[in-house]
């Protein structure tokens, strides 16, 4: 009856089919990603003015295209961005989290990214803003398929405050000097060339990108202004060669904490809070990019896709977004994984449409490749066989079909087996993170510790939730007399078997992170050896619960 300890998670390989789109008809792709934006922050999702943070531009974007209501990210920044860039679950690439600055590493050179795949189809590729996929030269955007990276940020915002004595006056001097030495600021560079540091980034209200003819310092409040500037300059340049399709990935730091709005956005929200002001800033900058796209005449042939990297970071409230769902960033709960997503493609996607199909950031790879007429590679960039966990969403976008995805797997940092699995509308929860924190109120159903909390297996059987009737995961129906869905475990097992087979044929890459995950025990080593042997023999059997 063991479900959690030895079960492995899975998705399946998908290669888009169909005729190649003629080069001149291929759409441009503008992919905008924000940081830690809550499902309940934005106007189209019930936020906006109702939460004191007006979002007119994102409201407009949603009215012009399709909103997704069952769109999934990963539970934190690095795996969320890795999944979108590679179309692969993060444990395949080793990108479940990243190391501290100065420790190197990052997205393996052998991985394909959205940039490198679209580059094979003749696309001009461009990256600006938060990368958060490592700092080694081979892991940077300009080494990962992007013709140009401009103002690339390598870390989460907190990292840029480590060397600042006004933020951490108690830090030992030698450690502060270390962070000052190894922390890289905004980087720019063309493909095949070494990156250049544009300026340092710190946590102050300072905007001095050049000091005495050398790289200066730009504070967190101003960084997204440079990302916006880079995007606008790129669109002006792209308008000069409209026959060449382009793909641009714009990544704003907002609204990752610490939220320090740019001066012109301070107290511009209805609630006058730093987080709300930062949401208004994010919305305004997105609006300016969309206006530029329209002004250049490029909008009609451009697929615009907006989403965020993970669910709301509830445990840093009040400097955090909101989700009506259970849990927080860093957990396998819906609140840590279900995120806003909007797609606009004039003449292709009908305005004011909504999708409840089960899809996610993993599916952008197959989708962008499909609309670009590019076949997904069968081998990685080191010429070894590769598997993608990506499904083509273009039938949903075009209104010609439904999603082929029937399952979604939830992982936290060190998991090879899933913390949870969704099959159709049912969710099985095996392993919880952060479930030992203080309760958050009389009606609380979860703690908010996220990945900071301990992990624990629920039991010898999973919790089961019907996400249609119970999206907040309040009512476990595993053995409920009236709504028992134990038989769904048969479908769950079939999905698990698929991924178990792929781990043998396509072994995960080395983890690109450092962290303590508990003691190494003899029993764990022996169990791992047994699992490898059983998988190599052709699979392993997970007994179904009988209820006895």
């Amino acid at each position: 009856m063991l479900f959690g300890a030895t079960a492995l998670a899975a998705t399946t390989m998908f290669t888009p089919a169909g005729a190649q789109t003629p080069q001149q008809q291929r759409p441009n792709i503008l992919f905008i990603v924000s940081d830690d934006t809550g499902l309940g922050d934005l106007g189209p999702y019930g936020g906006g003015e109702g939460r004191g943070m007006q979002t007119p531009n994102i409201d407009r974007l949603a009215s012009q295209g399709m909103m997704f209501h069952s769109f999934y990210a990963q539970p934190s920044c690095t795996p969320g961005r890795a999944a979108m860039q590679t179309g692969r679950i993060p444990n395949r690439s080793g990108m479940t989290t990243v190391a501290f600055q100065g420790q190197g590493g990052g997205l393996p050179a052998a991985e394909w990214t959205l940039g490198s795949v679209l580059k094979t189809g003749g696309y001009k590729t461009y990256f600006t803003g938060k990368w958060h996929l490592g700092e080694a030269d081979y892991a940077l955007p300009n080494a990962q398929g992007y013709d140009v990276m401009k103002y690339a940020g390598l870390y989460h915002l907190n990292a840029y405050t480590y060397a600042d004595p006004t933020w951490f006056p108690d830090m030992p001097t030698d450690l502060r000097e270390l962070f000052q030495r190894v922390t890289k600021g905004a980087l720019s560079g063309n493909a095949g060339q070494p990156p250049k540091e544009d300026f340092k980034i710190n946590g102050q209200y300072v905007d001095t990108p050049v000091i005495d003819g050398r790289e200066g310092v730009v504070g967190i409040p101003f960084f997204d202004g440079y990302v916006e500037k880079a995007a606008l300059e790129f669109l002006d340049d792209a308008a000069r060669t409209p026959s060449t399709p382009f793909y641009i990935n714009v990544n704003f730091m907002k609204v990752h904490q610490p939220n320090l709005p740019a001066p012109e956005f301070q107290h511009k929200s209805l609630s006058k809070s730093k987080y709300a002001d930062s949401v208004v800033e994010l919305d305004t900058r997105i609006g300016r990019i969309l206006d530029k796209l329209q002004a250049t005449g490029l909008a009609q042939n451009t697929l615009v896709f907006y989403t965020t990297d993970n669910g709301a970071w509830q445990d840093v409230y009040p400097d955090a977004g909101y989700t009506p769902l259970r849990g927080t960033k860093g957990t396998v709960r819906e609140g840590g994984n279900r995120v806003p997503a909007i797609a606009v493609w004039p003449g292709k996607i009908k305005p004011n449409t909504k999708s409840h199909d089960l899809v996610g950031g993993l599916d952008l790879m197959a989708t962008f490749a499909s609309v670009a007429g590019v076949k997904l590679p069968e081998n990685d960039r080191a010429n070894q066989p590769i598997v993608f966990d990506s499904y083509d969403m273009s039938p949903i976008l075009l209104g010609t079909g439904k999603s082929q995805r029937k399952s979604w797997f939830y992982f936290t940092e060190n998991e090879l087996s899933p913390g949870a699995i969704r099959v159709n509308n049912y969710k099985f929860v095996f392993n919880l993170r952060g479930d030992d924190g203080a309760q958050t109120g009389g009606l609380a159903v979860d703690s908010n510790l996220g990945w900071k909390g301990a992990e624990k297996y629920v039991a010898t059987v999973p919790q089961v939730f019907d996400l249609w009737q119970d999206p907040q995961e309040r009512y476990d129906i595993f053995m409920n007399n009236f709504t028992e869905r134990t038989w769904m475990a048969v479908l769950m097992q079939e999905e698990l078997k698929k991924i178990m087979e792929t781990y043998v044929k396509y072994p995960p890459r080395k983890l690109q992170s450092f962290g303590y995950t508990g003691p190494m025990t003899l029993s764990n080593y022996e169990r791992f050896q047994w699992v490898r042997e059983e998988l190599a023999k052709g699979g392993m059997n997970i007994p179904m619960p009988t209820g006895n």
Side-chain angles (χ1 to χ4, degrees):
M1 292 174 62
L2 286 176
F3 269 75
T6 58
L8 302 182
T11 44
T12 56
M13 180 174 178
F14 179 83
T15 302
Q20 296 288 300
T21 306
Q23 176 94 356
Q24 65 272 18
Q25 295 180 3
R26 294 179 180 181
N28 306 310
I29 300 173
L30 167 58
F31 180 32
I32 302 174
V33 182
S34 61
D35 204 335
D36 287 5
T37 309
L39 184 64
D41 287 343
L42 309 177
Y45 289 91
E49 289 188 16
R51 293 202 52 245
M53 49 189 80
Q54 60 273 25
T55 57
N57 295 292
I58 295 175
D59 295 358
R60 168 168 54 110
L61 188 69
S63 71
Q64 294 173 344
M66 177 177 289
M67 286 176 57
F68 292 88
H69 290 274
S70 290
F71 191 93
Y72 286 89
Q74 304 295 317
S76 60
C77 297
T78 290
R81 293 168 189 275
M84 289 188 284
Q85 286 291 337
T86 66
R88 285 155 51 82
I89 54 177
N91 63 26
R92 295 196 192 279
S93 60
M95 299 303 296
T96 60
T97 187
V98 291
F100 277 102
Q101 57 264 46
Q103 294 181 314
L107 188 64
E111 288 290 327
W112 288 98
T113 66
L114 293 171
S116 55
V117 167
L118 291 172
K119 189 69 186 165
T120 67
Y123 273 67
K124 179 191 299 185
T125 58
Y126 190 93
F127 183 93
T128 182
K130 181 176 179 178
W131 179 242
H132 209 188
L133 296 177
E135 62 180 7
D137 285 349
Y138 64 79
L140 301 182
N142 67 332
Q144 290 282 353
Y146 290 91
D147 296 324
V148 178
M149 68 173 181
K150 188 71 172 177
Y151 305 130
L154 302 189
Y155 319 111
H156 56 78
L157 280 185
N158 309 75
Y160 294 104
T161 68
Y162 292 165
D164 191 333
T166 61
W167 281 80
F168 302 106
D170 57 333
M171 181 181 288
T173 301
D174 56 347
L175 182 57
R176 179 177 294 114
E177 290 174 349
L178 170 66
F179 280 122
Q180 289 173 337
R181 185 170 64 254
V182 303
T183 302
K184 299 177 182 179
L187 297 180
S188 295
N190 296 335
Q193 297 179 0
K196 173 184 175 295
E197 188 174 53
D198 302 294
F199 47 75
K200 295 291 186 182
I201 303 173
N202 70 9
Q204 306 300 317
Y205 272 85
V206 58
D207 188 13
T208 54
V210 179
I211 299 177
D212 296 331
R214 299 186 59 185
E215 66 270 17
V217 179
V218 170
I220 287 172
F222 298 91
F223 181 77
D224 277 349
Y226 287 86
V227 176
E228 176 196 321
K229 176 176 178 287
L232 298 180
E233 289 175 350
F234 173 84
L235 292 176
D236 277 331
D237 180 68
R240 300 186 184 99
T241 55
S243 61
T244 302
F246 67 77
Y247 158 63
I248 175 174
N249 187 192
V250 182
N251 296 262
F252 288 111
M253 289 283 196
K254 294 290 188 302
V255 280
H256 192 291
Q257 58 94 221
N259 276 287
L260 302 174
E264 64 266 35
F265 295 101
Q266 288 182 302
H267 295 171
K268 289 299 189 292
S269 68
L270 297 174
S271 75
K272 315 300 182 194
S273 71
K274 289 182 178 180
Y275 185 85
D277 290 346
S278 296
V279 170
V280 171
E281 177 181 345
L282 170 67
D283 177 81
T284 302
R285 297 197 188 284
I286 290 175
R288 290 171 182 169
I289 293 172
L290 297 176
D291 289 344
K292 174 64 73 172
L293 186 70
Q294 189 69 42
T296 56
L298 297 168
Q300 193 63 31
N301 190 39
T302 300
L303 167 61
V304 178
F305 203 99
Y306 162 75
T307 190
T308 190
D309 54 355
N310 50 253
W313 198 357
Q314 297 276 273
D315 61 343
V316 293
Y317 178 84
D319 196 15
Y322 169 76
T323 174
L325 304 173
R326 184 175 182 177
T328 178
K329 172 181 175 179
T331 72
V332 298
R333 295 299 191 190
E334 293 296 285
N337 293 268
R338 206 187 297 197
V339 297
I342 302 170
V344 172
W345 191 1
K348 301 288 187 179
I349 298 175
K350 292 181 180 179
N352 283 308
T353 52
K354 295 176 174 57
S355 172
H356 293 274
D357 285 56
L358 176 57
V359 290
L362 285 168
D363 300 324
L364 296 173
M365 174 64 84
T367 304
F368 289 175
S370 179
V371 302
V374 177
K375 187 177 184 295
L376 289 183
E378 296 181 0
N379 291 334
D380 66 16
R381 295 170 75 189
N383 205 34
Q384 297 299 310
I386 191 171
V387 62
F388 292 93
D389 304 291
S390 194
Y391 287 80
D392 182 8
M393 295 187 293
S394 61
I396 304 172
L397 302 179
L398 301 174
T400 60
K402 301 288 286 181
S403 171
Q404 295 303 303
R405 176 183 288 286
K406 302 303 179 187
S407 62
W408 187 266
F409 290 84
Y410 307 70
F411 296 91
T412 53
E413 278 82 353
N414 196 39
E415 290 179 328
L416 186 63
S417 59
I421 169 178
R422 175 176 175 175
V423 181
N424 298 322
N425 55 300
Y426 292 99
K427 182 175 181 179
F428 297 77
V429 179
F430 306 105
N431 190 33
L432 294 174
R433 294 292 297 272
D435 200 45
D436 59 346
Q439 295 295 302
T440 55
L443 297 178
V445 292
D446 205 2
S447 64
N448 282 327
L449 282 180
W451 64 80
K452 293 187 295 185
E455 67 176 350
K456 70 175 185 182
Y457 282 90
V458 176
T460 55
V461 295
Q463 296 177 349
V464 182
F465 302 97
D466 181 348
L467 293 180
W468 283 351
Q469 298 191 67
D470 178 27
Q472 290 188 325
E473 301 171 89
R474 289 175 179 266
Y475 307 107
D476 180 3
I477 59 172
F478 184 78
M479 288 300 293
N480 182 294
N481 289 340
F482 296 99
T483 57
E484 181 182 342
R485 291 297 183 272
T486 311
W487 53 265
M488 281 294 300
V490 177
L491 296 180
M492 179 210 65
Q493 185 187 39
E494 291 304 311
E495 293 299 307
L496 289 174
K497 283 182 178 178
K498 295 176 184 177
I499 194 94
M500 288 156 54
E501 295 171 356
T502 68
Y503 282 144
V504 176
K505 188 174 181 181
Y506 310 98
R509 303 191 196 279
K510 179 182 177 182
L511 285 178
Q512 297 297 305
S513 59
F514 297 85
Y516 182 68
T517 57
M520 177 68 72
T521 64
L522 286 172
S523 58
N524 281 340
Y525 172 79
E526 292 170 355
R527 180 188 301 160
F528 176 67
Q529 187 70 20
W530 175 82
V531 168
R532 287 206 313 177
E533 292 172 356
E534 291 299 309
L535 290 176
K537 293 176 184 176
M540 54 192 291
N541 181 55
I542 305 174
M544 291 294 100
T546 64
N548 296 328

